[in-house]
Amino acid sequence: MDRAAQNYQKYCTLCHGADREGGAADYAPSLKSKSLMSTMPLNFLASSIGFGRPNTAMAPYLADSGGPLSMREIFTLASWLKYKAGHETIELSMDPIEGDLKTGANLFTQKCAECHGKKAEGITAPALANPAFLAFATDAYIKYAIGNGREETEMIAFKKQLSDEQMNDLTAYIRSLTSGWSPEPRELSPYPEPKDYVSNPAGAQPDFSLKQDRYVPMEQVAQALKAKNRMVLLDTRTSSEWHNAHIPGAIPIPYYISEDKVAKGLPKDDTWIIAYCSCPHAASDKVIDMLRKKGYKNTAVIDEGFFNWINAGHPIIGGTPK
Ligand code: HEC
Ligand code: HEC
């Protein structure tokens, strides 16, 4: 239990908050609400941590996916979260729920899209069309969340304003967004060596202008990359995300690295060190703060974050070159 509490502190507080209340960064959900913790089975909870939610800031933490935690550590952490929340388990039916997709889709646009996104891709609320979410969430789990909301969050209990039939229609609609997904063990790439940390070591010094003495617009970084300028790029997300895809030349320095290791192998001269994450600032800020404390001056954070970098069409490279 002590180890699980330490792991929560090290890996999760950044986004889910010191007391599991959610919302510390990136609209991460609460991990203590009664409705969530009483209906999410332990294996669903552990899978959410181990496999993450693809294409959201929730990364896979399982070692097989390139993350920092073993299966056993993840189950202990999941059990600890349940224990801390202290709510009794509500057993929900495994049966499918039938409903009308068209009515469900219309209701979704009217009542849900402003937070969950037009295509349920997630904006300020979790992505419901997420393949990993739908692979584990049963119909009854989804309906229960709609009806009962999530205590102390923006998600209200809709059973006060929707009929049972309307909630069935919504559940059926969300279920219809399933795309088929199963976790696959991944081939992991070797980590770069310190001698490869600097991109374009012989290149010219880039010309960055920072906002608030810290944030560099992604266009300037993309330009510097194109011009083959000398710099170091730090991917501060969970290491599994680096294996998934990263900016070419970026090295994995995750936000949970310890202070005595963070600067290992980094040049301490005028070379620019640029960090990024998907949060889009929380993880990078943490790493850049550590480096500045150690006297690294030419340091900055990509302002828009990794998802906007991808959406703008800037180059990324997959973990497995194949
Ligand atoms: C005002 C914003 C808002 C609206 C409107 C809203 N939600 Fe939510 N919803 C949220 C937030 C925020 C969460 C996550 C809460 C938490 O756990 O911290 C959430 C959680 C959920 C979950 C649980 C997801 C999970 O991972 O367990 C479901 C299902 C859901 N909402 C469905 C709906 C549906 C269907 C509607 C429309 C009837 C709707 N929501 C409307 C904000 C909203
Ligand atoms: C960089 C920010 C970030 C970090 C760090 C992070 N999470 Fe998350 N987490 C999120 C976001 C954002 C979501 C919602 C994703 C979505 O849209 O479905 C989420 C979703 C979850 C869910 C699903 C909850 C639900 O309502 O469906 C669980 C469980 C979870 N995280 C546990 C953890 C644990 C445990 C850790 C530490 C090992 C952790 N997370 C670290 C951002 C983060």
CSV table of all heavy atoms in Angstrom, one decimal, residues 35 39 92 97-98 133 137-150 155 157-159 163-172 174-175:
chain,number,residue,atom,x,y,z
A,35,SER,N,-19.4,7.3,-8.0
A,35,SER,CA,-20.0,6.6,-9.2
A,35,SER,C,-18.9,5.9,-10.0
A,35,SER,O,-19.2,4.8,-10.5
A,35,SER,CB,-20.8,7.6,-10.0
A,35,SER,OG,-20.6,7.4,-11.4
A,39,THR,N,-18.3,1.4,-9.7
A,39,THR,CA,-18.8,0.7,-10.8
A,39,THR,C,-17.7,0.2,-11.7
A,39,THR,O,-17.9,-0.6,-12.6
A,39,THR,CB,-19.8,1.5,-11.7
A,39,THR,OG1,-19.1,2.6,-12.2
A,39,THR,CG2,-21.0,1.9,-10.9
A,92,LEU,N,-22.8,-4.5,-11.7
A,92,LEU,CA,-23.7,-4.1,-12.9
A,92,LEU,C,-23.8,-5.3,-13.8
A,92,LEU,O,-23.0,-6.2,-13.9
A,92,LEU,CB,-23.1,-3.0,-13.6
A,92,LEU,CG,-23.0,-1.6,-12.8
A,92,LEU,CD1,-22.2,-0.6,-13.7
A,92,LEU,CD2,-24.4,-1.1,-12.5
A,97,ILE,N,-27.4,-3.4,-23.8
A,97,ILE,CA,-28.6,-2.5,-23.7
A,97,ILE,C,-29.0,-2.1,-25.1
A,97,ILE,O,-28.2,-1.7,-25.9
A,97,ILE,CB,-28.2,-1.3,-22.8
A,97,ILE,CG1,-28.1,-1.7,-21.3
A,97,ILE,CG2,-29.3,-0.2,-22.9
A,97,ILE,CD1,-27.6,-0.6,-20.4
A,98,GLU,N,-30.3,-2.2,-25.4
A,98,GLU,CA,-30.7,-1.9,-26.7
A,98,GLU,C,-31.3,-0.5,-26.7
A,98,GLU,O,-31.9,0.0,-25.7
A,98,GLU,CB,-31.8,-2.9,-27.2
A,98,GLU,CG,-31.1,-4.2,-27.5
A,98,GLU,CD,-32.1,-5.2,-28.1
A,98,GLU,OE1,-33.2,-4.8,-28.6
A,98,GLU,OE2,-31.8,-6.4,-28.1
A,133,PHE,N,-11.4,2.6,-24.1
A,133,PHE,CA,-12.5,2.8,-23.1
A,133,PHE,C,-13.6,1.8,-23.5
A,133,PHE,O,-14.1,1.1,-22.6
A,133,PHE,CB,-13.0,4.2,-23.2
A,133,PHE,CG,-14.3,4.5,-22.4
A,133,PHE,CD1,-14.3,4.4,-21.1
A,133,PHE,CD2,-15.5,4.7,-23.1
A,133,PHE,CE1,-15.5,4.7,-20.4
A,133,PHE,CE2,-16.6,4.9,-22.4
A,133,PHE,CZ,-16.7,4.9,-21.0
A,137,ALA,N,-15.5,-0.9,-21.1
A,137,ALA,CA,-16.7,-0.4,-20.5
A,137,ALA,C,-17.9,-1.2,-21.0
A,137,ALA,O,-18.2,-1.3,-22.2
A,137,ALA,CB,-16.9,1.1,-20.8
A,138,THR,N,-18.7,-1.8,-20.0
A,138,THR,CA,-19.9,-2.5,-20.4
A,138,THR,C,-21.0,-1.4,-20.7
A,138,THR,O,-20.9,-0.3,-20.2
A,138,THR,CB,-20.4,-3.4,-19.3
A,138,THR,OG1,-20.6,-2.6,-18.1
A,138,THR,CG2,-19.4,-4.5,-19.0
A,139,ASP,N,-22.1,-1.9,-21.3
A,139,ASP,CA,-23.3,-0.9,-21.5
A,139,ASP,C,-23.8,-0.4,-20.2
A,139,ASP,O,-24.1,0.8,-20.1
A,139,ASP,CB,-24.4,-1.7,-22.3
A,139,ASP,CG,-24.0,-1.9,-23.8
A,139,ASP,OD1,-22.9,-1.5,-24.2
A,139,ASP,OD2,-24.8,-2.5,-24.5
A,140,ALA,N,-23.9,-1.3,-19.3
A,140,ALA,CA,-24.5,-0.9,-18.0
A,140,ALA,C,-23.6,0.1,-17.3
A,140,ALA,O,-24.1,1.0,-16.6
A,140,ALA,CB,-24.7,-2.2,-17.1
A,141,TYR,N,-22.3,0.0,-17.4
A,141,TYR,CA,-21.3,0.9,-16.9
A,141,TYR,C,-21.6,2.3,-17.5
A,141,TYR,O,-21.6,3.3,-16.7
A,141,TYR,CB,-19.9,0.4,-17.1
A,141,TYR,CG,-18.8,1.4,-16.8
A,141,TYR,CD1,-18.2,1.4,-15.5
A,141,TYR,CD2,-18.4,2.4,-17.7
A,141,TYR,CE1,-17.2,2.3,-15.2
A,141,TYR,CE2,-17.4,3.3,-17.4
A,141,TYR,CZ,-16.8,3.3,-16.1
A,141,TYR,OH,-15.9,4.2,-15.8
A,142,ILE,N,-21.7,2.3,-18.8
A,142,ILE,CA,-21.9,3.6,-19.5
A,142,ILE,C,-23.2,4.3,-19.0
A,142,ILE,O,-23.3,5.4,-18.7
A,142,ILE,CB,-21.9,3.4,-21.0
A,142,ILE,CG1,-20.5,2.9,-21.5
A,142,ILE,CG2,-22.3,4.7,-21.8
A,142,ILE,CD1,-20.4,2.5,-22.9
A,143,LYS,N,-24.3,3.4,-19.0
A,143,LYS,CA,-25.6,4.0,-18.6
A,143,LYS,C,-25.6,4.5,-17.2
A,143,LYS,O,-26.2,5.5,-16.9
A,143,LYS,CB,-26.7,2.9,-18.8
A,143,LYS,CG,-28.1,3.4,-18.5
A,143,LYS,CD,-29.1,2.3,-18.8
A,143,LYS,CE,-30.5,2.8,-18.3
A,143,LYS,NZ,-31.5,1.8,-18.5
A,144,TYR,N,-24.9,3.7,-16.3
A,144,TYR,CA,-24.9,4.2,-14.9
A,144,TYR,C,-24.2,5.5,-14.8
A,144,TYR,O,-24.6,6.4,-14.0
A,144,TYR,CB,-24.1,3.1,-14.1
A,144,TYR,CG,-24.2,3.4,-12.6
A,144,TYR,CD1,-25.2,2.8,-11.8
A,144,TYR,CD2,-23.3,4.2,-12.0
A,144,TYR,CE1,-25.3,3.0,-10.5
A,144,TYR,CE2,-23.4,4.5,-10.6
A,144,TYR,CZ,-24.4,3.9,-9.9
A,144,TYR,OH,-24.5,4.1,-8.5
A,145,ALA,N,-23.1,5.7,-15.6
A,145,ALA,CA,-22.4,7.0,-15.5
A,145,ALA,C,-23.3,8.1,-16.0
A,145,ALA,O,-23.3,9.2,-15.5
A,145,ALA,CB,-21.1,6.9,-16.4
A,146,ILE,N,-24.1,7.9,-17.1
A,146,ILE,CA,-25.0,8.9,-17.6
A,146,ILE,C,-26.0,9.2,-16.6
A,146,ILE,O,-26.3,10.4,-16.2
A,146,ILE,CB,-25.7,8.4,-18.9
A,146,ILE,CG1,-24.6,8.1,-20.0
A,146,ILE,CG2,-26.6,9.5,-19.4
A,146,ILE,CD1,-25.2,7.4,-21.2
A,147,GLY,N,-26.6,8.2,-16.0
A,147,GLY,CA,-27.7,8.4,-15.0
A,147,GLY,C,-27.2,9.1,-13.7
A,147,GLY,O,-27.9,9.9,-13.2
A,148,ASN,N,-26.1,8.6,-13.2
A,148,ASN,CA,-25.7,9.1,-11.9
A,148,ASN,C,-24.6,10.1,-11.9
A,148,ASN,O,-24.2,10.7,-10.9
A,148,ASN,CB,-25.2,7.9,-11.1
A,148,ASN,CG,-26.3,6.9,-10.9
A,148,ASN,OD1,-27.1,7.0,-9.9
A,148,ASN,ND2,-26.4,5.9,-11.8
A,149,GLY,N,-24.0,10.4,-13.1
A,149,GLY,CA,-23.0,11.4,-13.2
A,149,GLY,C,-21.7,11.0,-12.4
A,149,GLY,O,-21.6,9.8,-12.1
A,150,ARG,N,-20.8,11.9,-12.2
A,150,ARG,CA,-19.6,11.7,-11.4
A,150,ARG,C,-19.6,12.8,-10.3
A,150,ARG,O,-19.4,14.0,-10.6
A,150,ARG,CB,-18.4,11.8,-12.3
A,150,ARG,CG,-18.3,10.7,-13.4
A,150,ARG,CD,-17.8,9.4,-12.9
A,150,ARG,NE,-17.5,8.5,-13.9
A,150,ARG,CZ,-18.1,7.3,-14.0
A,150,ARG,NH1,-19.0,6.9,-13.2
A,150,ARG,NH2,-17.7,6.5,-15.0
A,155,MET,N,-19.7,16.4,-14.6
A,155,MET,CA,-20.6,15.4,-15.1
A,155,MET,C,-21.8,15.2,-14.2
A,155,MET,O,-21.7,14.6,-13.1
A,155,MET,CB,-19.8,14.1,-15.3
A,155,MET,CG,-20.7,12.9,-15.8
A,155,MET,SD,-21.3,13.2,-17.5
A,155,MET,CE,-22.6,12.0,-17.7
A,157,ALA,N,-25.8,14.2,-13.0
A,157,ALA,CA,-26.6,13.0,-13.0
A,157,ALA,C,-27.8,13.2,-14.0
A,157,ALA,O,-28.7,14.0,-13.7
A,157,ALA,CB,-27.1,12.6,-11.7
A,158,PHE,N,-27.8,12.6,-15.2
A,158,PHE,CA,-28.8,12.9,-16.2
A,158,PHE,C,-30.1,12.2,-16.0
A,158,PHE,O,-31.1,12.5,-16.7
A,158,PHE,CB,-28.2,12.6,-17.6
A,158,PHE,CG,-27.3,13.7,-18.1
A,158,PHE,CD1,-26.0,13.6,-18.0
A,158,PHE,CD2,-27.9,14.8,-18.8
A,158,PHE,CE1,-25.1,14.6,-18.5
A,158,PHE,CE2,-27.1,15.8,-19.3
A,158,PHE,CZ,-25.7,15.7,-19.1
A,159,LYS,N,-30.2,11.3,-15.0
A,159,LYS,CA,-31.5,10.6,-14.8
A,159,LYS,C,-32.5,11.6,-14.3
A,159,LYS,O,-33.7,11.3,-14.4
A,159,LYS,CB,-31.3,9.5,-13.8
A,159,LYS,CG,-31.0,9.8,-12.4
A,159,LYS,CD,-30.8,8.5,-11.6
A,159,LYS,CE,-30.2,8.8,-10.2
A,159,LYS,NZ,-29.7,7.6,-9.5
A,163,SER,N,-35.2,10.3,-19.8
A,163,SER,CA,-36.0,9.1,-19.4
A,163,SER,C,-35.1,7.9,-19.5
A,163,SER,O,-34.0,8.0,-20.1
A,163,SER,CB,-37.2,8.9,-20.4
A,163,SER,OG,-36.7,8.6,-21.7
A,164,ASP,N,-35.5,6.8,-19.0
A,164,ASP,CA,-34.7,5.5,-19.1
A,164,ASP,C,-34.5,5.2,-20.5
A,164,ASP,O,-33.4,4.8,-20.9
A,164,ASP,CB,-35.5,4.4,-18.4
A,164,ASP,CG,-34.6,3.3,-18.0
A,164,ASP,OD1,-33.6,3.5,-17.2
A,164,ASP,OD2,-34.9,2.2,-18.4
A,165,GLU,N,-35.5,5.4,-21.4
A,165,GLU,CA,-35.4,5.0,-22.8
A,165,GLU,C,-34.3,5.9,-23.4
A,165,GLU,O,-33.5,5.5,-24.3
A,165,GLU,CB,-36.7,5.2,-23.4
A,165,GLU,CG,-36.9,4.4,-24.7
A,165,GLU,CD,-38.2,4.7,-25.3
A,165,GLU,OE1,-39.2,5.1,-24.7
A,165,GLU,OE2,-38.4,4.4,-26.5
A,166,GLN,N,-34.3,7.2,-23.1
A,166,GLN,CA,-33.3,8.1,-23.7
A,166,GLN,C,-31.9,7.8,-23.3
A,166,GLN,O,-31.0,7.8,-24.1
A,166,GLN,CB,-33.6,9.6,-23.3
A,166,GLN,CG,-34.8,10.2,-24.0
A,166,GLN,CD,-35.2,11.6,-23.5
A,166,GLN,OE1,-35.2,11.8,-22.2
A,166,GLN,NE2,-35.4,12.5,-24.4
A,167,MET,N,-31.8,7.3,-22.0
A,167,MET,CA,-30.4,6.9,-21.6
A,167,MET,C,-30.0,5.6,-22.3
A,167,MET,O,-28.8,5.4,-22.6
A,167,MET,CB,-30.4,6.7,-20.1
A,167,MET,CG,-30.6,8.0,-19.3
A,167,MET,SD,-30.1,8.0,-17.6
A,167,MET,CE,-31.4,7.0,-16.9
A,168,ASN,N,-31.0,4.7,-22.6
A,168,ASN,CA,-30.7,3.5,-23.4
A,168,ASN,C,-30.2,3.9,-24.8
A,168,ASN,O,-29.3,3.4,-25.4
A,168,ASN,CB,-31.9,2.6,-23.5
A,168,ASN,CG,-32.2,1.9,-22.2
A,168,ASN,OD1,-31.4,2.0,-21.3
A,168,ASN,ND2,-33.4,1.3,-22.1
A,169,ASP,N,-30.9,4.9,-25.4
A,169,ASP,CA,-30.6,5.4,-26.8
A,169,ASP,C,-29.1,5.9,-26.8
A,169,ASP,O,-28.3,5.6,-27.7
A,169,ASP,CB,-31.5,6.4,-27.3
A,169,ASP,CG,-33.0,5.9,-27.4
A,169,ASP,OD1,-33.1,4.6,-27.4
A,169,ASP,OD2,-33.9,6.7,-27.5
A,170,LEU,N,-28.8,6.7,-25.8
A,170,LEU,CA,-27.5,7.3,-25.7
A,170,LEU,C,-26.4,6.2,-25.5
A,170,LEU,O,-25.4,6.2,-26.1
A,170,LEU,CB,-27.4,8.2,-24.5
A,170,LEU,CG,-27.9,9.7,-24.7
A,170,LEU,CD1,-28.1,10.4,-23.4
A,170,LEU,CD2,-26.8,10.4,-25.6
A,171,THR,N,-26.7,5.2,-24.6
A,171,THR,CA,-25.8,4.1,-24.4
A,171,THR,C,-25.5,3.4,-25.7
A,171,THR,O,-24.4,3.1,-26.1
A,171,THR,CB,-26.3,3.2,-23.3
A,171,THR,OG1,-26.6,4.0,-22.1
A,171,THR,CG2,-25.3,2.1,-23.0
A,172,ALA,N,-26.6,3.1,-26.4
A,172,ALA,CA,-26.5,2.3,-27.7
A,172,ALA,C,-25.7,3.1,-28.7
A,172,ALA,O,-24.8,2.6,-29.4
A,172,ALA,CB,-27.9,2.0,-28.2
A,174,ILE,N,-23.3,5.4,-28.0
A,174,ILE,CA,-21.9,5.4,-27.6
A,174,ILE,C,-21.3,4.1,-27.9
A,174,ILE,O,-20.2,4.0,-28.5
A,174,ILE,CB,-21.7,5.8,-26.1
A,174,ILE,CG1,-22.1,7.2,-25.9
A,174,ILE,CG2,-20.3,5.5,-25.6
A,174,ILE,CD1,-22.3,7.6,-24.4
A,175,ARG,N,-22.0,3.0,-27.7
A,175,ARG,CA,-21.5,1.6,-28.0
A,175,ARG,C,-21.2,1.5,-29.5
A,175,ARG,O,-20.3,0.8,-29.9
A,175,ARG,CB,-22.5,0.6,-27.5
A,175,ARG,CG,-22.3,-0.8,-28.0
A,175,ARG,CD,-21.0,-1.4,-27.4
A,175,ARG,NE,-20.9,-1.3,-26.0
A,175,ARG,CZ,-19.8,-1.2,-25.3
A,175,ARG,NH1,-18.7,-1.3,-25.9
A,175,ARG,NH2,-19.8,-1.1,-24.0
